[in-house]
Amino acid sequence: MLRRSLLAALPLLPVPMLALTGLARPALAQGAAGNQAAVARAEAYLNGITTLRARFLQIAHNGGTAEGNAYISRPGRMRFDYDPPEQLLLVASDGQFLYYDRELRQPSIVPVGSTPLGFLLRAQIRFAGDIEVINVDRRNGLLSITARRRDAPAEGRITLVFAEEPMELRQWIVVDSQQRETRVTLNAMERGMSLPRGMFTFNDPTFFEREERQR
């Protein structure tokens, strides 16, 4: 079920949805001017990320859970390594998103632009243009931005939740057209480290050989 939920989550939106586990939902928006400033701060924070490494906890719509390590190298590259017993690897690079089942040795590839996480990998992140912000909420030091694709609102919606002081991405939830949620919480986050390009380059013929040797 977890594998199926991950595959279903890939082709939803070009933005990720975030919310904080165990916290009350944010209060109503606090004025247009304040909201615009908060969204601008979130944009600046996201655009300031070059590399990021964190632990993640994922909760699928059916209650299944998985943990692992997340890596982002902007623009364009991302990797999710799942802890055993899950035999899953997700890698984004060169405009493609790879879903790889290590147990079955089965790869599936979709365009990055068709995935929820593609938004974080853009060279310039903006909550504008093809992305429509439908709600901005703030409470208890948290900023929540809900968005969807402007030309395909029926596909689902996205909410990003940040800690405001200091600004930090905390979690995402993707809600699809059938109201199924996939929730990812980030912790132990580090930024600005060097990440080898090879860990993202799945089009290299030796990529999967290296992955098998490292298991």
Side-chain angles (χ1 to χ4, degrees):
M1 289 296 292
L2 179 61
R3 290 187 179 95
R4 287 198 292 273
S5 71
L6 286 170
L7 283 173
L10 283 178
L12 298 180
L13 296 172
V15 192
M17 178 175 192
L18 293 149
L20 292 177
T21 305
L23 295 178
R25 294 200 177 275
L28 293 177
Q30 299 177 357
N35 289 345
Q36 290 174 1
V39 170
R41 286 190 64 214
E43 284 183 351
Y45 165 81
L46 293 173
N47 284 312
I49 294 174
T50 54
T51 57
L52 180 151
R53 176 172 58 208
R55 290 288 297 170
F56 71 86
L57 169 65
Q58 176 176 291
I59 303 176
H61 70 278
N62 63 352
T65 63
E67 296 182 71
N69 294 307
Y71 307 88
I72 296 176
S73 180
R74 295 190 61 253
R77 296 187 291 276
M78 176 181 287
R79 177 176 174 128
F80 280 73
D81 268 314
Y82 287 77
D83 293 345
E86 291 300 328
Q87 299 293 311
L88 306 175
L89 174 66
L90 299 179
V91 183
S93 183
D94 300 319
Q96 298 176 308
F97 209 116
L98 167 76
Y99 170 93
Y100 184 61
D101 187 318
R102 289 182 169 119
E103 182 179 4
L104 301 178
R105 298 187 178 183
Q106 281 187 350
S108 300
I109 297 176
V110 298
V112 163
S114 69
T115 70
L117 301 179
F119 177 73
L120 286 179
L121 303 181
R122 294 180 175 187
Q124 185 67 27
I125 295 174
R126 295 184 64 235
F127 292 99
D130 62 323
I131 302 303
E132 177 185 22
V133 174
I134 58 177
N135 198 33
V136 178
D137 295 322
R138 301 170 74 188
R139 189 172 78 171
N140 298 332
L142 301 177
L143 166 64
S144 172
I145 303 173
T146 301
R148 64 189 178 191
R149 192 160 63 180
R150 189 180 300 276
D151 62 354
E155 287 185 344
R157 66 187 186 275
I158 289 296
T159 299
L160 294 154
V161 173
F162 304 82
E164 287 204 75
E165 298 295 342
M167 181 71 70
E168 185 177 66
L169 181 62
R170 291 290 184 84
Q171 189 185 71
W172 63 73
I173 300 170
V174 177
V175 179
D176 69 14
S177 60
Q178 300 180 39
Q179 300 302 303
R180 294 175 302 188
E181 290 189 357
T182 301
R183 179 180 306 214
V184 176
T185 303
L186 302 177
N187 57 74
M189 188 184 300
E190 303 174 79
R191 293 173 54 185
M193 74 291 300
S194 176
L195 295 176
R197 188 179 181 88
M199 67 188 297
F200 307 99
T201 313
F202 57 83
N203 288 319
D204 184 335
T206 65
F207 178 86
F208 294 108
E209 295 176 11
R210 293 198 306 269
E211 290 299 315
E212 291 299 320
R213 289 198 299 268
Q214 293 170 8
R215 286 181 59 187

